[in-house]
């Protein structure tokens, strides 16, 4: 599309009705794309923009302008691209004359030892981003990093302006069996389902109902009758069936931010300098940004930001839909916190007036009620 035009994103069914009406009004539709059953997009010439808006409003379609093309915009874009490319060329030439400098340090293999600890040791060998390094001594680097407590083996090499360091940490020592010196007690009112006592004395049985703070596994070992119990550790896990209730108030009408337009910004970052247009800000602006290295050997980072403009719109839902959504959210929170091995859920809904409903969610599940 070489002429000036605008791109529209439209929400609504019966695409054929709109296309027929636009054709009847002699409005050319270009690059028609069907996104899904409700959404589609297309271009129209800028001279037909206002007439197209009027038809969309008359037919009650929801629409937004998501793209625009024109001579002025194209020239501005070309100028920005030219400036961007010029910036890349200038800094690429500058870096090309700086091959003796380190522009990247990549550390791999470490899980328990932070990168910063290794970076501090590498700095003692004059290895850091922006440092000049005329000679790379791999043996000296490996010896310095291997001196860090918890590292068993090290390999290192230099490729161009990047130094790669791979470490192999010492074998982990398995943690000792968990236990406590006092009785393990219940954290809930529950019906006991399983008892796994590794050390100490089991004080409850499956099927027994217990209240919160009831001892489950005693921190002692029973001996012959008439002899006092011998103190020991309490270690084990006790499962039980618990009943959980949560109430949620929902409204059948509410305001929610929805996207109406979207743009993409590309910027360059190098040596603390940013080349490109400043990102917008303010109410209703959402920014999703990602970045990547332009080149392994160059200290140039390219960031791409997707700017979405949103606006408040009224949303509605039925009481049944909201109740189901509330139940799912309560269940998700319960499962995330307690990790049940099995559960069942029910709900009740009560109209409290003014478009508000009280949703009571009841969950019955088997969870860990006490353990160490």
């Amino acid at each position: 599309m070489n002429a000036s035009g605008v791109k529209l994103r439209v929400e609504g069914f019966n695409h054929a009705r709109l296309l027929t009406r636009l054709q009847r009004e002699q409005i050319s539709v270009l690059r028609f794309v069907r996104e899904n059953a409700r959404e589609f997009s297309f271009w129209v010439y800028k001279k037909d923009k206002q007439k197209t808006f009027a038809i969309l409003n008359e037919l009650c379609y929801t629409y937004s302008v998501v793209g625009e093309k024109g001579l002025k915009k194209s020239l501005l874009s070309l100028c920005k691209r030219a400036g961007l490319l010029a910036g890349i060329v200038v800094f690429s030439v500058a870096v090309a004359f700086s091959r003796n400098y380190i522009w990247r340090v990549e550390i791999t293999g470490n899980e328990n030892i932070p990168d910063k600890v290794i970076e501090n040791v590498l700095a003692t060998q004059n290895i850091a981003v922006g440092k000049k390094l005329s000679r790379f001594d791999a043996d000296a680097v490996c010896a310095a990093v291997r001196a860090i407590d918890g590292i068993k083996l090290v390999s290192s090499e230099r490729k161009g302006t990047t130094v790669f360091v791979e470490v192999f940490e010492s074998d982990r020592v398995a943690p000792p069996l968990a236990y406590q010196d006092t009785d393990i007690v219940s954290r809930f009112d529950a019906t006991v389902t399983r008892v796994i006592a590794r050390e100490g004395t089991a004080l409850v049985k499956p099927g027994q109902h217990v209240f919160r703070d009831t001892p489950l596994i005693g921190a002692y070992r029973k001996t012959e009758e008439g002899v006092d119990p011998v103190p020991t550790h309490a270690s084990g896990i006790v499962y039980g069936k618990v009943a959980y209730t949560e109430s949620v108030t929902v409204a059948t009408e509410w305001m929610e931010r929805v996207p109406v337009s979207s743009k993409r910004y590309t910027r360059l970052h190098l040596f603390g300098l940013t080349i490109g247009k400043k990102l917008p800000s303010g109410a209703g602006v959402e920014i999703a940004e990602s970045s990547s290295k332009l080149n392994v050997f160059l200290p140039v980072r390219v960031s791409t930001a997707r700017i979405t403009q949103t606006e408040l719109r009224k949303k509605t839902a039925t009481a049944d839909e909201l109740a189901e959504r509330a139940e799912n959210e309560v269940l998700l929170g319960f499962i995330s916190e307690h990790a049940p091995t099995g559960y069942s859920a029910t709900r009740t809904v009560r109209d409290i007036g003014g478009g508000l409903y009280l949703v009571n969610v009841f969950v019955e599940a088997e969870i860990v009620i006490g353990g160490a």
Side-chain angles (χ1 to χ4, degrees):
M1 179 174 178
N2 297 321
S4 299
V6 293
K7 182 180 180 182
L8 304 174
R9 182 181 296 276
V10 183
E11 293 183 27
F13 296 104
N14 199 348
H15 306 168
R17 180 179 66 152
L18 175 61
L19 294 176
T20 301
R21 178 64 181 278
L22 293 173
Q23 184 178 15
R24 188 186 309 152
E25 298 292 335
Q26 297 184 341
I27 296 175
S28 299
V29 175
L30 309 171
R31 298 181 185 174
F32 181 89
V33 177
R34 184 176 181 272
E35 309 289 349
N36 51 54
R38 282 185 55 86
E39 294 184 336
F40 54 96
S41 63
F42 59 89
W43 287 81
V44 297
Y45 291 116
K46 188 167 289 186
K47 65 183 180 63
D48 297 324
K49 179 173 67 171
Q50 296 302 327
K51 189 187 294 186
T52 304
F53 291 167
I55 293 172
L56 289 168
N57 290 326
E58 179 185 340
L59 298 180
C60 299
Y61 283 94
T62 301
Y63 66 93
S64 60
V65 177
V66 296
E68 189 170 345
K69 186 177 181 65
L71 180 60
K72 180 180 178 182
K73 191 176 183 68
S74 298
L75 288 175
L76 287 175
S77 177
L78 184 61
C79 290
K80 290 177 182 178
R81 289 175 180 269
L84 197 65
L85 291 174
I88 293 175
V89 170
V90 169
F91 282 100
S92 297
V93 171
V95 173
F97 287 100
S98 305
R99 291 295 182 181
N100 288 334
Y101 286 82
I102 298 299
W103 296 121
R104 185 183 176 197
V105 178
E106 184 172 314
I107 301 170
T108 59
N110 55 314
E111 294 183 5
N112 301 312
I113 299 171
D115 285 352
K116 193 63 179 177
V117 173
I118 300 175
E119 289 171 358
N120 289 340
V121 172
L122 292 174
T124 64
Q125 302 296 312
N126 204 37
I127 296 175
V129 174
K131 287 279 190 179
K132 186 176 181 179
L133 186 66
S134 56
R135 180 177 177 274
F136 177 74
D137 189 340
D139 292 337
V141 171
C142 291
V145 177
R146 197 165 50 244
I148 298 174
D149 186 27
I151 292 182
K152 181 167 59 176
L153 297 172
V154 181
S155 67
S156 66
E157 62 176 328
R158 176 182 179 178
K159 291 184 178 179
T161 58
T162 302
V163 171
F164 298 90
V165 177
E166 183 177 11
V167 303
F168 302 85
E169 297 178 336
S170 303
D171 296 333
R172 295 181 180 177
V173 178
L177 190 66
Y179 65 87
Q180 62 186 52
D181 295 324
T182 58
D183 295 347
I184 295 174
V185 300
S186 178
R187 299 195 300 270
F188 306 90
D189 295 347
T191 300
V192 177
T193 56
R194 289 181 287 165
V195 180
I196 304 172
R198 294 187 292 258
E199 190 174 358
T201 301
L203 304 177
V204 293
K205 297 178 180 179
Q208 181 178 341
H209 183 76
V210 297
F211 295 101
R212 181 172 179 172
D213 295 330
T214 298
L216 303 174
I217 299 176
Y220 57 86
R221 185 176 67 254
K222 291 183 177 179
T223 58
E224 298 178 4
E225 190 175 348
V227 179
D228 293 335
V230 177
T232 185
H233 302 308
S235 176
I237 300 174
V238 179
Y239 293 84
K241 186 165 287 187
V242 301
Y244 174 80
T245 304
E246 185 170 338
S247 298
V248 181
T249 301
V250 297
T252 54
E253 292 185 358
W254 69 97
M255 300 300 292
E256 183 177 310
R257 286 201 170 274
V258 297
V260 293
S261 65
S262 180
K263 291 183 179 180
R264 190 175 69 175
Y265 291 75
T266 301
R267 303 189 299 168
L268 281 181
H269 308 272
L270 59 167
F271 299 114
L273 178 66
T274 298
I275 301 175
K277 191 174 180 181
K278 184 179 179 181
L279 300 183
S281 61
V285 175
E286 297 179 356
I287 301 176
E289 191 169 9
S290 61
S291 66
S292 60
K293 287 274 190 179
L294 179 66
N295 185 286
V296 136
F297 302 107
L298 302 177
V300 182
R301 185 168 53 87
V302 180
S303 67
T304 301
R306 173 66 65 178
I307 311 298
T308 303
Q309 183 69 47
T310 64
E311 67 178 27
L312 281 172
R313 290 185 182 175
K314 185 169 73 172
K315 294 284 187 175
T316 61
T318 64
D320 288 339
E321 291 173 335
L322 294 170
E324 182 178 0
R325 190 183 306 170
E327 179 181 331
N328 290 336
E329 289 177 356
V330 170
L331 275 175
L332 182 63
F334 180 84
I335 292 170
S336 175
E337 182 177 357
H338 301 292
T341 58
Y343 62 87
S344 61
T346 58
R347 67 174 184 263
T348 62
V349 182
R350 181 163 62 90
D351 187 351
I352 57 179
L356 299 178
Y357 291 82
L358 183 65
V359 182
N360 296 304
V361 181
F362 306 93
V363 182
E364 189 177 75
E366 184 189 38
I367 65 174
V368 175
I369 62 174

